[in-house]
Amino acid sequence: MRRALALAAVLLACLPAPALAAAAEISASEATDRADRDPKVVEERREHPGLSSSAAINDGDWQVSYFAAGERVALAVVDPQTGEVTESWTGYQVGWKMARGYSGAFGHRLNAPYVILPLFALFAIGLIDWRRPRRVATLDIAVLLAFGISHWFFNRAEIGVSVPLQYPVLLYLLARALWVGVRGSGDGIRPVWPTAWLIVAALFLIGVRVGLNVADAGTIDVGYASVVGADRIEHGEQLYDNFPSDVSSGDTYGPVNYLAYVPFEAIWPWHGTWDDLPASHGAAVVFDLATIALLVLLALRIRPGPAGRRLAAILAFAWAAYPYTALPLETNSNDALVAMLLVATLLVLARPISRGVLTALAGLTKFAPLILAPMLATYRPPPSTSIDPPAGDGGERGVEDSSARRAPPSPVTGPPGRSMILFALAFVTTTALLMLWPAIDPGLGTFWDRTLGYQAGRDSPFSIWGQVPGLEPLRVALIAAAAALSVALAFWPRRKSLVQVAALGAALLIALELTAMHWFYLYIVWFFPLLLVALAVVERPAAPEVAATPRRERASEPARSSPPVHSS
């Protein structure tokens, strides 16, 4: 025993001073004394002389909280070994960790300049018509990238700047979507890159995005909650008001969201903790790839032949290059599921039953798409729509496929009332089936309280409405205006092309997001695929003289050579 004690004494004597210091921890009172001297805490004491405090160990550090009238108004994080104040927060940053600008907390490696800046550059270089850069489409692309300015301030924990900067971008995109939707045509995206370049770049970017998800992405509470909900469904348990304490508000989404995660949770079961959650990774990747695949199918449906392949390449590249479609992948959120279902709705737009089913599925995922239901219920296609394929380089400019000059005919026949009835039946039946289980257990009242009721009553500093409560009357007025716009667009324009539906659908979603108490960059993907389709597909009404010419006369006319395709 004496030899062991002597050996221990020799080893302790040999340890350097810093190592000995690291073994000691300061007490709660010492941590509070250090925190009291922090400039932010001192300033808060001047405003609230009766400030009280409490200290507790959290994540290995002392966290000293300061309270005024029962509300936490300041927080200081103190290193337990050195006694140094490593962080101090006041205002919104006290209660909201996501407002503190922690490196990689949202987006992980996507926030790195060597990742996000090349994506910004590729999106612009690949889609802008550099032969005529003064086109409106160039401004559209620049504004879509302008979310990056707000995002930069968010990452610096300056949400007082980042939040107001998101609204000018949303307002421009709302106006642009309404313009295209009402006019039925637009100054579309006309990239100069050849189709082959766009395809290769899209495939490369898809590989990079999936690789980042596998190697670097984390799962935020949204993805975690989705996996937990899938676990509840698999085990036949009550879905709403039955979530663990570390994600107690995670049951705020529609039942479709949790059902969509069931296959992934069955492959990678949840183990009861907030770990790597491979099920959320798998779901995020599949939703992203499915959205791209559906965009490609939609392009080929709109334009058969070479023009369709080029449009498919444009849509796939634009989705893969846009940084804010990669954000759901890097956070493993469920937002790409909304995008996937909305693109699928466009794909079956001419079929009222399928349209009704998919509208219900999208609406019972994250509720926002329900604002599209009136317009989709009354959808009637125009008699015919002439669509201009985009010009390209590499021998493609001047290539024209006569079958691509006209949108595919709609299979909808009969009076418009029949289409509305079929849509309504499909929508109501799908909604009833999906809501049957929540209606029985725990009941519609609990479902409302945990979902729409919770979202209507939540507070958040990530909107101007949360930062300036006095603006609530304006917010209520805008909500009413968004609802009125939803009803108006159900009847005007009376007939709508696919491009108009995409544009007006994007406008409605943006209008709703403008009123959101809690807005985040993840929500961009809700409207982005619809807006992308509206901006990439340029259509023009058929010339009146052609439409009025009898078929027999047209057949007797001599054949004319096709004019070259020019961008508008």
Side-chain angles (χ1 to χ4, degrees):
M1 176 64 73
R2 291 179 180 177
R3 290 181 179 179
L5 291 174
L7 180 60
V10 171
L11 290 174
L12 288 173
C14 293
L15 285 174
L20 288 173
E25 285 194 1
I26 63 173
S27 65
S29 60
E30 290 173 318
T32 303
D33 289 341
R34 302 292 178 87
D36 285 344
R37 296 195 289 269
D38 181 80
K40 292 183 180 179
V41 176
V42 171
E43 181 64 28
E44 205 65 38
R45 280 195 181 279
R46 289 175 185 162
E47 296 183 15
H48 306 90
L51 215 59
S52 61
S53 64
S54 67
I57 290 289
N58 193 330
D59 293 332
D61 293 319
W62 283 109
Q63 292 196 359
V64 185
S65 300
Y66 294 86
F67 301 88
E71 180 182 354
R72 191 166 64 159
V73 295
L75 174 69
V77 180
V78 182
D79 187 285
Q81 276 78 41
T82 66
E84 178 187 2
V85 178
T86 57
E87 300 176 29
S88 60
W89 307 100
T90 58
Y92 305 123
Q93 278 90 354
V94 173
W96 290 83
K97 284 187 176 181
M98 66 183 289
R100 299 178 189 172
Y102 289 140
S103 177
F106 286 90
H108 287 249
R109 196 70 63 185
L110 181 65
N111 290 312
Y114 57 83
V115 175
I116 197 168
L117 292 181
L119 287 177
F120 272 72
L122 273 174
F123 186 79
I125 294 171
L127 294 180
I128 290 177
D129 184 353
W130 295 102
R131 297 164 303 195
R132 291 188 297 166
R134 295 184 179 181
R135 297 172 64 238
V136 177
T138 303
L139 180 59
D140 297 337
I141 293 167
V143 173
L144 282 168
L145 294 176
F147 281 115
I149 302 173
S150 169
H151 192 193
W152 186 78
F153 284 101
F154 168 81
N155 284 332
R156 292 169 56 88
E158 298 182 33
I159 64 169
V161 180
S162 69
V163 168
L165 286 176
Q166 68 205 21
Y167 290 95
V169 181
L170 289 171
L171 286 170
Y172 172 88
L173 296 177
L174 171 62
R176 187 74 171 103
L178 286 173
W179 178 262
V180 175
V182 171
R183 293 191 65 198
S185 63
D187 186 20
I189 296 174
R190 300 290 182 92
V192 296
W193 280 9
T195 301
W197 290 21
L198 292 169
I199 293 173
V200 171
L203 292 174
F204 171 77
L205 290 169
I206 290 169
V208 170
R209 289 154 61 98
V210 174
L212 285 174
N213 177 276
V214 173
D216 177 69
T219 300
I220 61 174
D221 55 349
V222 175
Y224 176 36
S226 301
V227 173
V228 172
D231 175 80
R232 295 290 186 262
I233 292 173
E234 275 202 273
H235 290 87
E237 299 178 16
Q238 175 182 321
L239 177 57
Y240 293 96
D241 201 18
N242 187 31
F243 271 48
S245 59
D246 56 354
V247 64
S248 58
S249 299
D251 54 349
T252 188
Y253 308 118
V256 174
N257 175 70
Y258 307 108
L259 288 167
Y261 277 77
V262 167
F264 305 98
E265 202 279 332
I267 299 172
W268 298 286
W270 177 54
H271 300 298
T273 59
W274 197 337
D275 51 22
D276 290 339
L277 297 171
S280 68
H281 287 254
V285 170
V286 168
F287 298 154
D288 184 75
L289 295 179
T291 303
I292 296 174
L294 289 170
L295 284 170
V296 169
L297 289 175
L298 182 64
L300 297 177
R301 175 74 61 83
I302 294 172
R303 293 187 182 131
R309 291 193 289 272
R310 178 155 181 78
L311 177 60
I314 293 172
L315 297 181
F317 170 81
W319 179 273
Y322 191 51
Y324 294 102
T325 62
L327 193 58
L329 272 175
E330 281 296 277
T331 58
N332 288 299
S333 76
N334 54 16
D335 297 278
L337 175 59
V338 176
M340 181 191 78
L341 291 171
L342 290 176
V343 177
T345 304
L346 285 184
L347 195 62
V348 299
L349 188 62
R351 305 181 184 278
I353 294 177
S354 300
R355 190 170 74 242
V357 170
L358 281 165
T359 302
L361 291 176
L364 290 179
T365 297
K366 298 196 80 167
F367 302 114
L370 289 175
I371 197 171
L372 309 182
M375 180 180 67
L376 293 173
T378 59
Y379 167 71
R380 292 183 67 191
S384 62
T385 303
S386 180
I387 300 179
D388 286 343
D393 277 347
E396 295 173 23
R397 182 173 179 81
V399 173
E400 182 175 341
D401 184 350
S402 60
S403 65
R405 295 289 295 174
R406 193 165 298 280
S410 169
V412 179
T413 57
R418 179 176 178 272
S419 175
M420 291 177 58
I421 292 172
L422 291 175
F423 174 93
L425 287 174
F427 180 87
V428 171
T429 302
T430 304
T431 301
L433 290 174
L434 291 170
M435 289 300 302
L436 183 61
W437 185 7
I440 296 173
D441 185 14
L444 292 179
T446 301
F447 170 80
W448 172 269
D449 291 340
R450 302 300 300 177
T451 56
L452 292 169
Y454 165 78
Q455 293 179 29
R458 73 184 303 188
D459 190 21
S460 169
F462 296 99
S463 70
I464 56 173
W465 322 113
Q467 292 188 1
V468 187
L471 294 176
E472 183 62 16
L474 175 59
R475 175 173 175 261
V476 172
L478 290 177
I479 292 173
L485 180 65
S486 175
V487 174
L489 294 181
F491 303 100
W492 182 81
R494 188 168 61 90
R495 290 180 178 269
K496 303 176 185 70
S497 67
L498 184 146
V499 171
Q500 287 178 288
V501 171
L504 296 175
L508 287 171
L509 288 169
I510 295 170
L512 190 63
E513 290 187 22
L514 283 168
T515 69
M517 180 62 72
H518 180 85
W519 188 91
F520 198 58
Y521 308 99
L522 290 169
Y523 303 162
I524 296 171
V525 298
W526 297 2
F527 64 80
F528 178 72
L530 303 184
L531 186 63
L532 178 61
V533 170
L535 296 179
V537 181
V538 180
E539 60 183 16
R540 296 173 179 171
E545 64 272 17
V546 175
T549 304
R551 182 179 302 177
R552 192 170 297 174
E553 289 184 21
R554 291 202 304 266
S556 63
E557 290 180 356
R560 299 177 182 175
S561 59
S562 298
V565 177
H566 296 287
S567 56
S568 59

